[in-house]
Every structure is written in C-alpha cells, then in structure tokens.
Amino acid sequence: VTIPRFWVRGDAASGFEEAYSRRLFVLVGAAVGFLAGVIAYQAPIFDRDIQALQPILRDNFWLTMHVLSITASYGAGALAWGLANISLVYYLFGRYRQVKPNADGVSFRKPPAACHRLAGFIYRVVQVSVLLLTVGTILGALWADVAWGKFWSWDAKEVWSLICILAYMIILHGRYIGWFGDFGLTAGAVLGLTTILMTWYGVNYVFGSGLHSYGGGAGGQYEAMGFVAANWLFLIAAAVRYLGETRRTELRSS
C-alpha cells in the first residue's frame, strides 16, 4: 500500500535511487540465503521416529508468533554477519587513506571509506535483530507459562537465547557509547552470529538434553566448528592489518 502510494506522489525516482544505494543488502541477503539453503540441505535429518508436538504445545498462535520472530531475528543476525564479512574484506585487502598530521604532529591512516558505510548498515540490522530476539524470547517465555506453568526453567535454549540477546546488546551499546568504533561493530556482528549458531545448531543438534534438543548427536558439529574457526581467523587477519595500518605515528622531531 505504501510503496505504490509513494510512487504515485512522484517520488519513485528518488526511491529507486535510495534502494540502489543500499544494493549491498540485496546482494548479501541473496548470498546468505543461498548459504542457508545449502546448510539446510546438508543439515542432519531428524530421527525418523520423531513424534508430533506434545498436546500441550499444539497451539498455532504461540508456535507461529514465537518461531517466526526468532527465525526472523536469526535472519537479521545472518545479514549483519554477511555485511560484516564484506567489510572485513575491505579492512584486510582495501587501500587505507593517509590522514595529514594534526597540530601535534601525529599522523595516522584511515580504513577504506566503504567500511564506515557498511558499519552504518550493520548497526541498523543489529538493531532489528535485537528487537526480534527480545520479542521472540518474551513470546517463548509466555508460551512456556501457558504450556508448562512457568516462564523460565533455565533450559539450554533459554540460556543461550539470553546469551544471544546480551551479546547483541553489548554490540549495540558498546558502539553507541563509544567503547569501540566501526571495526569493533564489524567484529561484534561476526562474533554475534557465533552465539546464534550455538543457540540454534548447538542446542538443537549437539546437546543431548533439554526441551529444545531435537536431534542430539546427529553430527555436523565438526563442520560447524571449522566454519566458525575459519571465520574467526579471517577476522583476526583483518584485525591485524587494521591495527597495523591505523597505528598513529609521531612525526614531530624531538
């Protein structure tokens, strides 16, 4: 309704221009979606003897609202992760800009301009992820109260959902109050996805106990760990170059 109305008012050209300027969202979203499809195809299959939901959990309203919000939050976190990895490519292989010495004779180099723009995108996507994570977790707690009579039971999924929220909250607040800059935000988006993988894959497939363990011992943990390790190594390599390039240099002679 709103988009055609926007076009009718004659603002279509500016709208397309704004959308084109954010084309990285589409490109990264497509790449992350393709990767998710490959992972889903290769993921361990549920036990053939898997049973239907317990009668107490057969509530389409709570199931839809909770799962939809949590899954969407994971998608937002994955999009932030994809944008962060594009940014890491710039940090690792891009051309750093020399900044002229200031009045104190201190010179330093700045990362490629694309890194700052990507950091703005990452920040907005992480905001969406935090909102959806929080809403989904609260809805899950309400559903648990309806089904089991208590909001929180320190189940593995509940604990890791809380860890997820706290991790992304630290990323947002740390960036907002200046604990770290664009690179810290980028690194946080990569590390944040690790908590999502643990919340989803680790709890569902690796842990052998808990109310949310659907395929304990089904395998694939070594591949998942290898993927996380490779991504962390990439992050470390980008961090080494970033710290080396942006190190301030004293130019004034003593």
Side-chain angles (χ1 to χ4, degrees):
V1 172
T2 58
I3 293 176
R5 183 179 177 183
F6 180 80
W7 288 345
V8 169
R9 288 188 338 201
D11 297 329
S14 62
F16 282 120
E17 184 178 348
E18 289 290 333
Y20 181 75
S21 68
R22 292 164 174 79
R23 60 190 179 278
L24 272 175
F25 275 109
V26 178
L27 296 176
V28 174
V32 171
F34 175 76
L35 178 62
V38 172
I39 293 174
Y41 181 78
Q42 297 293 336
I45 303 299
F46 288 155
D47 191 331
R48 294 186 179 183
D49 296 328
I50 189 172
Q51 303 296 317
L53 279 175
Q54 302 173 27
I56 199 171
L57 295 177
R58 295 178 190 174
D59 190 314
N60 287 334
F61 172 78
W62 289 112
L63 179 65
T64 301
M65 298 302 293
H66 169 63
V67 174
L68 182 62
S69 55
I70 287 293
T71 305
S73 72
Y74 291 172
L79 178 58
W81 167 82
L83 291 168
N85 275 280
I86 296 295
S87 186
L88 289 178
V89 171
Y90 283 102
Y91 279 113
L92 183 57
F93 301 109
R95 177 178 296 180
Y96 284 67
R97 300 164 289 160
Q98 184 68 41
V99 177
K100 294 181 180 180
N102 58 20
D104 296 326
V106 177
S107 176
F108 61 95
R109 295 164 68 85
K110 295 180 66 174
C115 295
H116 180 69
R117 182 172 179 80
L118 284 165
F121 291 161
I122 294 168
Y123 187 77
R124 294 304 182 191
V125 177
V126 170
Q127 285 180 316
V128 174
S129 182
V130 167
L131 175 63
L132 293 172
L133 269 173
T134 305
V135 170
T137 302
I138 292 174
L139 288 172
L142 293 174
W143 187 16
D145 183 58
V146 171
W148 298 317
K150 54 184 177 180
F151 291 98
W152 196 265
S153 59
W154 295 105
D155 181 68
K157 175 73 81 172
E158 295 172 349
V159 172
W160 275 99
S161 295
L162 179 60
I163 292 173
C164 246
I165 294 173
L166 293 176
Y168 277 102
M169 284 286 191
I170 291 172
I171 295 169
L172 281 184
H173 286 80
R175 180 67 179 88
Y176 183 77
I177 65 178
W179 282 352
F180 44 76
D182 293 341
F183 185 83
L185 178 65
T186 301
V190 172
L191 299 177
L193 187 77
T194 303
T195 65
I196 287 180
L197 287 175
M198 194 63 197
T199 305
W200 172 68
Y201 184 84
V203 172
N204 289 7
Y205 289 101
V206 179
F207 292 175
S209 61
L211 298 171
H212 296 81
S213 295
Y214 309 129
Q221 57 265 35
Y222 297 111
E223 290 84 350
M225 291 170 60
F227 167 79
V228 171
N231 203 188
W232 283 19
L233 288 174
F234 181 47
L235 171 60
I236 292 171
V240 169
R241 172 144 194 239
Y242 167 74
L243 294 174
E245 291 282 356
T246 57
R247 183 176 54 192
R248 294 171 182 265
T249 304
E250 186 74 31
L251 297 183
R252 176 173 294 177
S253 58
S254 58

Coordinates of all heavy atoms in Angstrom, one line a residue, residues 136-219:
G136 N 10.9 -12.4 20.4 CA 10.8 -13.8 20.3 C 11.0 -14.6 21.6 O 10.3 -15.5 22.0
T137 N 12.0 -14.1 22.4 CA 12.3 -14.7 23.7 C 11.2 -14.5 24.7 O 10.8 -15.4 25.4 CB 13.6 -14.2 24.2 OG1 14.7 -14.5 23.3 CG2 14.0 -14.9 25.5
I138 N 10.6 -13.3 24.7 CA 9.5 -13.0 25.6 C 8.3 -13.8 25.2 O 7.6 -14.4 26.1 CB 9.2 -11.5 25.6 CG1 10.3 -10.7 26.2 CG2 7.9 -11.2 26.3 CD1 10.1 -9.2 26.1
L139 N 8.0 -13.9 23.9 CA 6.9 -14.7 23.5 C 7.1 -16.2 23.8 O 6.1 -16.9 24.2 CB 6.7 -14.6 22.0 CG 6.2 -13.3 21.5 CD1 6.2 -13.2 19.9 CD2 4.7 -13.1 21.9
G140 N 8.3 -16.7 23.7 CA 8.6 -18.1 24.1 C 8.4 -18.3 25.6 O 7.9 -19.3 26.0
A141 N 8.7 -17.3 26.4 CA 8.5 -17.4 27.9 C 7.0 -17.4 28.2 O 6.5 -18.2 29.0 CB 9.2 -16.2 28.6
L142 N 6.2 -16.6 27.5 CA 4.8 -16.6 27.7 C 4.2 -17.9 27.3 O 3.3 -18.4 27.9 CB 4.2 -15.4 26.9 CG 4.5 -14.0 27.4 CD1 4.0 -12.9 26.4 CD2 4.0 -13.7 28.8
W143 N 4.7 -18.4 26.1 CA 4.2 -19.7 25.7 C 4.5 -20.8 26.7 O 3.7 -21.7 27.0 CB 4.8 -20.1 24.3 CG 4.2 -21.3 23.7 CD1 3.1 -22.0 24.0 CD2 4.8 -22.0 22.6 NE1 2.9 -23.1 23.2 CE2 4.0 -23.1 22.3 CE3 6.0 -21.8 21.8 CZ2 4.3 -24.0 21.3 CZ3 6.2 -22.7 20.8 CH2 5.4 -23.8 20.5
A144 N 5.7 -20.8 27.3 CA 6.1 -21.7 28.3 C 5.2 -21.6 29.5 O 4.9 -22.6 30.1 CB 7.6 -21.5 28.7
D145 N 4.8 -20.4 29.9 CA 3.9 -20.3 31.0 C 2.6 -20.9 30.7 O 2.0 -21.5 31.6 CB 3.8 -18.8 31.4 CG 3.0 -18.5 32.6 OD1 3.3 -19.1 33.7 OD2 1.9 -17.8 32.4
V146 N 2.1 -20.7 29.5 CA 0.8 -21.2 29.1 C 0.9 -22.8 29.1 O 0.0 -23.5 29.6 CB 0.4 -20.7 27.7 CG1 -0.9 -21.4 27.2 CG2 0.1 -19.2 27.8
A147 N 2.0 -23.3 28.5 CA 2.1 -24.8 28.4 C 2.5 -25.5 29.6 O 2.0 -26.5 30.0 CB 3.1 -25.0 27.2
W148 N 3.5 -24.9 30.3 CA 4.1 -25.7 31.4 C 3.9 -25.0 32.8 O 4.3 -25.5 33.8 CB 5.7 -25.8 31.2 CG 6.0 -26.6 30.0 CD1 5.3 -27.8 29.6 CD2 6.9 -26.3 29.0 NE1 5.9 -28.2 28.4 CE2 6.9 -27.4 28.0 CE3 7.9 -25.3 28.8 CZ2 7.7 -27.4 26.9 CZ3 8.7 -25.4 27.7 CH2 8.6 -26.4 26.8
G149 N 3.4 -23.8 32.8 CA 3.1 -23.1 34.0 C 4.2 -22.3 34.6 O 4.1 -21.9 35.8
K150 N 5.3 -22.1 33.9 CA 6.4 -21.3 34.4 C 7.1 -20.6 33.2 O 7.2 -21.2 32.1 CB 7.4 -22.1 35.2 CG 7.9 -23.3 34.5 CD 8.9 -24.1 35.4 CE 9.4 -25.4 34.8 NZ 10.2 -26.1 35.7
F151 N 7.5 -19.4 33.4 CA 8.1 -18.6 32.3 C 9.5 -19.1 32.0 O 9.9 -19.0 30.8 CB 8.2 -17.1 32.7 CG 6.8 -16.4 32.8 CD1 6.2 -16.3 34.0 CD2 6.2 -16.0 31.7 CE1 5.0 -15.7 34.1 CE2 5.0 -15.3 31.8 CZ 4.4 -15.2 33.0
W152 N 10.3 -19.5 33.0 CA 11.7 -19.7 32.8 C 12.1 -21.0 33.5 O 11.8 -21.1 34.7 CB 12.5 -18.5 33.2 CG 13.9 -18.5 32.7 CD1 15.0 -18.9 33.3 CD2 14.4 -17.9 31.5 NE1 16.1 -18.7 32.6 CE2 15.8 -18.1 31.4 CE3 13.7 -17.3 30.4 CZ2 16.5 -17.7 30.3 CZ3 14.4 -16.9 29.3 CH2 15.8 -17.1 29.3
S153 N 12.8 -21.9 32.9 CA 13.3 -23.1 33.5 C 14.8 -23.4 33.4 O 15.2 -24.4 33.7 CB 12.5 -24.3 33.0 OG 12.7 -24.4 31.6
W154 N 15.5 -22.4 32.9 CA 16.9 -22.5 32.6 C 17.3 -23.7 31.7 O 18.3 -24.3 31.9 CB 17.7 -22.6 34.0 CG 17.6 -21.3 34.8 CD1 16.9 -21.2 35.9 CD2 18.3 -20.1 34.5 NE1 17.0 -19.9 36.3 CE2 17.9 -19.2 35.5 CE3 19.2 -19.6 33.5 CZ2 18.3 -17.9 35.6 CZ3 19.6 -18.3 33.6 CH2 19.2 -17.5 34.6
D155 N 16.4 -23.9 30.8 CA 16.7 -24.9 29.7 C 17.8 -24.3 28.8 O 18.0 -23.1 28.8 CB 15.4 -25.1 28.9 CG 15.6 -26.1 27.8 OD1 15.8 -27.3 28.1 OD2 15.6 -25.7 26.6
A156 N 18.5 -25.2 28.2 CA 19.7 -24.8 27.4 C 19.3 -23.8 26.3 O 20.1 -22.8 26.1 CB 20.3 -26.1 26.7
K157 N 18.2 -24.0 25.7 CA 17.7 -23.0 24.7 C 17.4 -21.6 25.3 O 17.8 -20.6 24.7 CB 16.5 -23.5 23.9 CG 15.9 -22.5 22.9 CD 16.8 -22.4 21.7 CE 16.5 -23.5 20.7 NZ 17.2 -23.3 19.4
E158 N 16.8 -21.6 26.5 CA 16.5 -20.4 27.1 C 17.8 -19.6 27.5 O 17.9 -18.4 27.3 CB 15.7 -20.7 28.4 CG 14.3 -21.2 28.0 CD 13.5 -21.7 29.3 OE1 14.2 -21.8 30.4 OE2 12.3 -22.0 29.2
V159 N 18.8 -20.4 28.0 CA 20.0 -19.8 28.5 C 20.8 -19.2 27.3 O 21.2 -18.0 27.3 CB 20.9 -20.8 29.2 CG1 22.3 -20.2 29.5 CG2 20.2 -21.3 30.5
W160 N 20.8 -19.9 26.2 CA 21.6 -19.4 25.0 C 20.8 -18.3 24.3 O 21.4 -17.4 23.7 CB 21.9 -20.6 24.1 CG 23.2 -21.2 24.5 CD1 23.3 -22.4 25.2 CD2 24.5 -20.7 24.3 NE1 24.6 -22.7 25.4 CE2 25.4 -21.7 24.9 CE3 25.0 -19.6 23.7 CZ2 26.8 -21.5 24.8 CZ3 26.4 -19.4 23.6 CH2 27.3 -20.4 24.2
S161 N 19.5 -18.3 24.4 CA 18.7 -17.2 23.9 C 19.1 -15.9 24.6 O 19.2 -14.8 24.1 CB 17.2 -17.5 24.0 OG 16.9 -18.5 23.1
L162 N 19.2 -16.0 26.0 CA 19.6 -14.9 26.8 C 21.0 -14.4 26.5 O 21.2 -13.2 26.4 CB 19.4 -15.3 28.3 CG 19.8 -14.2 29.3 CD1 18.9 -13.0 29.1 CD2 19.8 -14.7 30.7
I163 N 21.9 -15.4 26.3 CA 23.3 -15.0 25.9 C 23.3 -14.3 24.6 O 24.0 -13.3 24.4 CB 24.1 -16.3 25.8 CG1 24.3 -16.9 27.2 CG2 25.5 -16.0 25.2 CD1 25.0 -18.2 27.3
C164 N 22.5 -14.7 23.6 CA 22.3 -14.1 22.3 C 21.9 -12.6 22.5 O 22.5 -11.7 21.9 CB 21.3 -14.8 21.5 SG 22.0 -15.6 20.0
I165 N 20.9 -12.4 23.2 CA 20.4 -11.0 23.4 C 21.4 -10.2 24.1 O 21.7 -9.0 23.6 CB 19.1 -11.1 24.3 CG1 18.0 -11.8 23.6 CG2 18.7 -9.6 24.7 CD1 16.7 -12.0 24.4
L166 N 22.1 -10.7 25.1 CA 23.1 -9.9 25.8 C 24.3 -9.6 24.9 O 24.8 -8.5 25.0 CB 23.6 -10.7 27.1 CG 22.5 -10.9 28.2 CD1 23.1 -11.7 29.3 CD2 22.1 -9.5 28.7
A167 N 24.7 -10.6 24.1 CA 25.8 -10.3 23.2 C 25.5 -9.2 22.2 O 26.3 -8.3 22.0 CB 26.1 -11.6 22.4
Y168 N 24.3 -9.2 21.6 CA 24.0 -8.2 20.7 C 23.7 -6.9 21.4 O 23.9 -5.8 20.8 CB 22.8 -8.6 19.8 CG 23.1 -9.5 18.7 CD1 23.0 -10.9 18.7 CD2 23.7 -9.0 17.5 CE1 23.3 -11.7 17.7 CE2 24.1 -9.8 16.4 CZ 23.9 -11.1 16.5 OH 24.3 -11.9 15.5
M169 N 23.2 -6.9 22.6 CA 23.0 -5.7 23.4 C 24.4 -5.0 23.6 O 24.5 -3.8 23.5 CB 22.3 -6.0 24.7 CG 20.8 -6.2 24.6 SD 19.9 -4.7 24.3 CE 18.2 -5.3 24.5
I170 N 25.4 -5.8 24.0 CA 26.7 -5.3 24.2 C 27.3 -4.6 22.9 O 27.9 -3.6 22.9 CB 27.7 -6.4 24.7 CG1 27.3 -6.8 26.1 CG2 29.1 -5.9 24.6 CD1 28.0 -8.1 26.6
I171 N 27.0 -5.3 21.8 CA 27.4 -4.7 20.5 C 26.8 -3.4 20.3 O 27.5 -2.4 19.9 CB 27.1 -5.7 19.3 CG1 27.9 -7.0 19.5 CG2 27.4 -5.1 18.0 CD1 27.4 -8.1 18.6
L172 N 25.5 -3.3 20.4 CA 24.8 -2.0 20.2 C 25.2 -0.9 21.2 O 25.6 0.2 20.8 CB 23.3 -2.2 20.3 CG 22.6 -2.9 19.1 CD1 21.1 -2.9 19.4 CD2 22.8 -2.1 17.8
H173 N 25.2 -1.2 22.5 CA 25.5 -0.2 23.4 C 27.0 0.2 23.4 O 27.3 1.3 23.6 CB 25.1 -0.7 24.8 CG 23.7 -0.7 25.1 ND1 22.8 -1.7 24.6 CD2 22.8 0.2 25.7 CE1 21.6 -1.5 25.0 NE2 21.6 -0.3 25.7
G174 N 27.8 -0.8 23.1 CA 29.3 -0.5 23.0 C 29.6 0.5 21.9 O 30.4 1.4 22.1
R175 N 28.9 0.3 20.8 CA 29.1 1.2 19.7 C 28.4 2.6 20.0 O 29.0 3.6 19.6 CB 28.4 0.6 18.4 CG 28.5 1.5 17.2 CD 30.0 1.6 16.7 NE 30.1 2.4 15.5 CZ 30.3 3.7 15.6 NH1 30.3 4.4 16.7 NH2 30.4 4.4 14.4
Y176 N 27.3 2.5 20.6 CA 26.6 3.8 20.9 C 27.4 4.7 21.9 O 27.4 5.9 21.7 CB 25.2 3.5 21.5 CG 24.4 4.7 21.7 CD1 23.8 5.4 20.6 CD2 24.2 5.2 23.0 CE1 23.0 6.5 20.8 CE2 23.4 6.4 23.2 CZ 22.8 7.0 22.1 OH 22.1 8.2 22.3
I177 N 28.0 4.1 22.9 CA 28.7 4.9 23.9 C 30.1 5.1 23.6 O 30.9 5.7 24.4 CB 28.5 4.3 25.3 CG1 29.1 3.0 25.4 CG2 27.0 4.3 25.7 CD1 29.0 2.4 26.8
G178 N 30.6 4.5 22.5 CA 32.0 4.7 22.1 C 33.0 3.8 22.7 O 34.2 4.1 22.7
W179 N 32.6 2.6 23.1 CA 33.6 1.6 23.6 C 34.5 1.2 22.4 O 35.6 0.9 22.6 CB 32.9 0.4 24.2 CG 32.4 0.6 25.6 CD1 32.6 1.7 26.4 CD2 31.6 -0.3 26.3 NE1 32.0 1.5 27.6 CE2 31.4 0.3 27.6 CE3 31.0 -1.5 26.1 CZ2 30.6 -0.3 28.6 CZ3 30.3 -2.1 27.1 CH2 30.0 -1.5 28.3
F180 N 33.9 1.1 21.2 CA 34.6 0.7 20.0 C 34.0 1.4 18.8 O 32.9 2.0 18.9 CB 34.7 -0.8 19.9 CG 33.3 -1.5 20.1 CD1 32.3 -1.4 19.1 CD2 33.1 -2.2 21.3 CE1 31.1 -2.0 19.3 CE2 31.8 -2.8 21.5 CZ 30.9 -2.7 20.5
G181 N 34.7 1.4 17.7 CA 34.3 2.1 16.5 C 33.7 1.1 15.5 O 33.2 0.1 15.8
D182 N 33.9 1.5 14.3 CA 33.4 0.7 13.2 C 33.9 -0.7 13.1 O 33.2 -1.7 12.9 CB 33.6 1.4 11.8 CG 32.9 2.7 11.7 OD1 31.9 2.9 12.4 OD2 33.3 3.5 10.8
F183 N 35.2 -0.9 13.4 CA 35.8 -2.2 13.3 C 35.2 -3.1 14.4 O 35.0 -4.3 14.2 CB 37.3 -2.2 13.4 CG 37.9 -3.6 13.2 CD1 38.1 -4.1 11.9 CD2 38.3 -4.3 14.3 CE1 38.7 -5.3 11.7 CE2 38.8 -5.6 14.1 CZ 39.0 -6.1 12.8
G184 N 35.1 -2.5 15.6 CA 34.6 -3.3 16.7 C 33.1 -3.7 16.5 O 32.8 -4.9 16.8
L185 N 32.3 -2.9 15.8 CA 31.0 -3.2 15.5 C 31.0 -4.4 14.4 O 30.2 -5.3 14.5 CB 30.3 -2.0 14.9 CG 28.8 -2.2 14.4 CD1 27.9 -2.6 15.5 CD2 28.3 -1.0 13.7
T186 N 31.9 -4.3 13.5 CA 32.0 -5.4 12.5 C 32.4 -6.7 13.1 O 31.8 -7.7 12.8 CB 33.1 -4.9 11.4 OG1 32.7 -3.7 10.8 CG2 33.2 -6.0 10.4
A187 N 33.4 -6.6 14.0 CA 33.8 -7.8 14.7 C 32.7 -8.4 15.5 O 32.5 -9.6 15.6 CB 35.0 -7.6 15.5
G188 N 31.9 -7.5 16.2 CA 30.8 -7.9 17.0 C 29.7 -8.7 16.2 O 29.1 -9.6 16.7
A189 N 29.5 -8.2 15.0 CA 28.5 -8.9 14.1 C 28.9 -10.3 13.8 O 28.1 -11.2 13.7 CB 28.3 -8.1 12.8
V190 N 30.2 -10.5 13.6 CA 30.8 -11.8 13.3 C 30.7 -12.7 14.5 O 30.2 -13.9 14.5 CB 32.2 -11.8 12.8 CG1 32.8 -13.2 12.7 CG2 32.3 -11.0 11.5
L191 N 31.1 -12.2 15.7 CA 31.0 -13.0 16.9 C 29.6 -13.2 17.3 O 29.3 -14.2 17.9 CB 31.8 -12.3 18.0 CG 33.3 -12.1 17.7 CD1 34.0 -11.3 18.9 CD2 34.0 -13.4 17.5
G192 N 28.7 -12.2 17.0 CA 27.3 -12.4 17.4 C 26.7 -13.6 16.7 O 25.8 -14.3 17.3
L193 N 27.1 -13.8 15.4 CA 26.5 -15.0 14.7 C 26.9 -16.3 15.4 O 26.2 -17.3 15.3 CB 26.9 -15.0 13.3 CG 26.2 -16.1 12.4 CD1 24.8 -15.6 12.1 CD2 26.9 -16.4 11.1
T194 N 28.1 -16.3 16.0 CA 28.5 -17.5 16.7 C 27.6 -17.9 17.8 O 27.3 -19.0 18.0 CB 29.9 -17.3 17.3 OG1 30.9 -16.9 16.2 CG2 30.5 -18.6 17.9
T195 N 27.1 -16.9 18.5 CA 26.1 -17.2 19.6 C 24.8 -17.7 19.0 O 24.1 -18.5 19.6 CB 25.8 -15.9 20.4 OG1 25.2 -14.9 19.7 CG2 27.1 -15.4 21.0
I196 N 24.4 -17.1 17.8 CA 23.2 -17.6 17.1 C 23.4 -19.1 16.7 O 22.5 -19.9 16.9 CB 22.9 -16.8 15.9 CG1 22.3 -15.4 16.4 CG2 21.8 -17.5 15.0 CD1 22.0 -14.5 15.2
L197 N 24.5 -19.4 16.2 CA 24.8 -20.8 15.8 C 24.7 -21.7 17.0 O 24.2 -22.9 16.9 CB 26.2 -20.9 15.1 CG 26.3 -20.3 13.7 CD1 27.7 -20.4 13.2 CD2 25.4 -21.1 12.7
M198 N 25.3 -21.3 18.1 CA 25.2 -22.1 19.3 C 23.8 -22.3 19.8 O 23.4 -23.3 20.2 CB 26.1 -21.5 20.4 CG 26.4 -22.4 21.5 SD 27.3 -23.8 21.0 CE 27.0 -24.9 22.4
T199 N 23.0 -21.2 19.7 CA 21.6 -21.2 20.2 C 20.8 -22.1 19.3 O 20.0 -22.9 19.8 CB 21.0 -19.8 20.2 OG1 21.8 -18.9 20.9 CG2 19.6 -19.8 20.7
W200 N 21.0 -22.1 18.0 CA 20.2 -22.9 17.1 C 20.8 -24.3 16.9 O 20.2 -25.3 17.3 CB 20.1 -22.2 15.7 CG 19.4 -23.1 14.7 CD1 18.1 -23.5 14.7 CD2 20.0 -23.7 13.6 NE1 17.8 -24.3 13.7 CE2 19.0 -24.5 12.9 CE3 21.3 -23.7 13.1 CZ2 19.3 -25.2 11.8 CZ3 21.6 -24.4 11.9 CH2 20.6 -25.2 11.3
Y201 N 22.0 -24.3 16.3 CA 22.5 -25.6 16.0 C 23.0 -26.4 17.2 O 22.8 -27.6 17.4 CB 23.7 -25.5 15.0 CG 24.2 -26.8 14.5 CD1 23.6 -27.5 13.5 CD2 25.4 -27.3 15.1 CE1 24.1 -28.7 13.0 CE2 25.8 -28.6 14.7 CZ 25.2 -29.2 13.6 OH 25.7 -30.4 13.2
G202 N 23.8 -25.7 18.1 CA 24.4 -26.4 19.2 C 23.3 -27.0 20.1 O 23.4 -28.2 20.5
V203 N 22.3 -26.2 20.5 CA 21.3 -26.7 21.4 C 20.4 -27.8 20.7 O 20.1 -28.8 21.3 CB 20.4 -25.6 21.9 CG1 19.2 -26.1 22.6 CG2 21.2 -24.6 22.7
N204 N 20.0 -27.5 19.4 CA 19.1 -28.4 18.7 C 19.8 -29.8 18.4 O 19.1 -30.8 18.4 CB 18.6 -27.8 17.5 CG 17.6 -26.7 17.8 OD1 17.4 -26.3 19.0 ND2 17.0 -26.1 16.8
Y205 N 21.0 -29.7 17.9 CA 21.6 -30.9 17.3 C 22.8 -31.5 18.1 O 23.1 -32.7 18.0 CB 22.1 -30.6 15.9 CG 21.0 -30.4 14.9 CD1 20.7 -29.1 14.6 CD2 20.3 -31.5 14.4 CE1 19.7 -28.9 13.6 CE2 19.3 -31.2 13.5 CZ 19.0 -30.0 13.1 OH 18.0 -29.7 12.2
V206 N 23.5 -30.7 18.9 CA 24.7 -31.3 19.6 C 24.4 -31.7 21.0 O 24.7 -32.7 21.5 CB 25.8 -30.2 19.5 CG1 27.0 -30.7 20.3 CG2 26.2 -29.9 18.1
F207 N 23.7 -30.8 21.8 CA 23.4 -31.1 23.1 C 22.4 -32.3 23.2 O 21.5 -32.4 22.4 CB 22.7 -29.9 23.9 CG 23.6 -28.8 24.1 CD1 23.2 -27.6 24.6 CD2 25.0 -28.9 23.8 CE1 24.0 -26.5 24.8 CE2 25.8 -27.8 24.0 CZ 25.4 -26.6 24.5
G208 N 22.6 -33.2 24.1 CA 21.7 -34.4 24.1 C 20.6 -34.3 25.1 O 19.9 -35.3 25.3
S209 N 20.4 -33.1 25.7 CA 19.3 -33.0 26.7 C 18.7 -31.6 26.5 O 19.2 -30.7 25.9 CB 19.9 -33.1 28.1 OG 20.8 -32.1 28.4
G210 N 17.5 -31.5 27.2 CA 16.9 -30.2 27.1 C 15.6 -30.3 26.4 O 15.3 -31.2 25.5
L211 N 14.7 -29.3 26.6 CA 13.4 -29.3 26.0 C 13.4 -29.0 24.5 O 12.5 -29.2 23.8 CB 12.4 -28.3 26.7 CG 12.2 -28.6 28.2 CD1 11.4 -27.5 28.8 CD2 11.4 -29.9 28.3
H212 N 14.5 -28.4 24.0 CA 14.7 -28.0 22.7 C 15.7 -28.8 21.9 O 16.1 -28.3 20.8 CB 15.0 -26.5 22.6 CG 14.0 -25.6 23.1 ND1 13.8 -25.3 24.5 CD2 13.0 -24.8 22.5 CE1 12.8 -24.5 24.7 NE2 12.3 -24.2 23.5
S213 N 16.1 -29.9 22.4 CA 17.1 -30.7 21.7 C 16.3 -31.7 20.8 O 15.7 -32.7 21.3 CB 18.0 -31.5 22.7 OG 18.8 -30.6 23.4
Y214 N 16.4 -31.5 19.5 CA 15.6 -32.3 18.5 C 16.4 -33.4 17.9 O 15.8 -34.3 17.4 CB 15.0 -31.4 17.4 CG 14.3 -30.1 18.0 CD1 14.6 -28.9 17.5 CD2 13.4 -30.3 18.9 CE1 14.0 -27.8 18.0 CE2 12.7 -29.1 19.4 CZ 13.0 -27.9 19.0 OH 12.4 -26.8 19.4
G215 N 17.7 -33.2 17.8 CA 18.5 -34.2 17.1 C 19.8 -34.4 17.7 O 20.9 -34.3 17.1
G216 N 19.9 -34.6 19.0 CA 21.1 -34.7 19.8 C 22.0 -35.8 19.2 O 21.6 -36.9 19.0
G217 N 23.3 -35.4 19.0 CA 24.3 -36.4 18.4 C 24.1 -36.7 16.9 O 24.7 -37.6 16.4
A218 N 23.3 -35.8 16.2 CA 23.1 -36.1 14.8 C 24.3 -35.8 13.9 O 24.3 -36.1 12.8 CB 21.9 -35.3 14.3
G219 N 25.3 -35.1 14.5 CA 26.5 -34.9 13.8 C 26.6 -33.5 13.1 O 25.7 -32.7 13.3

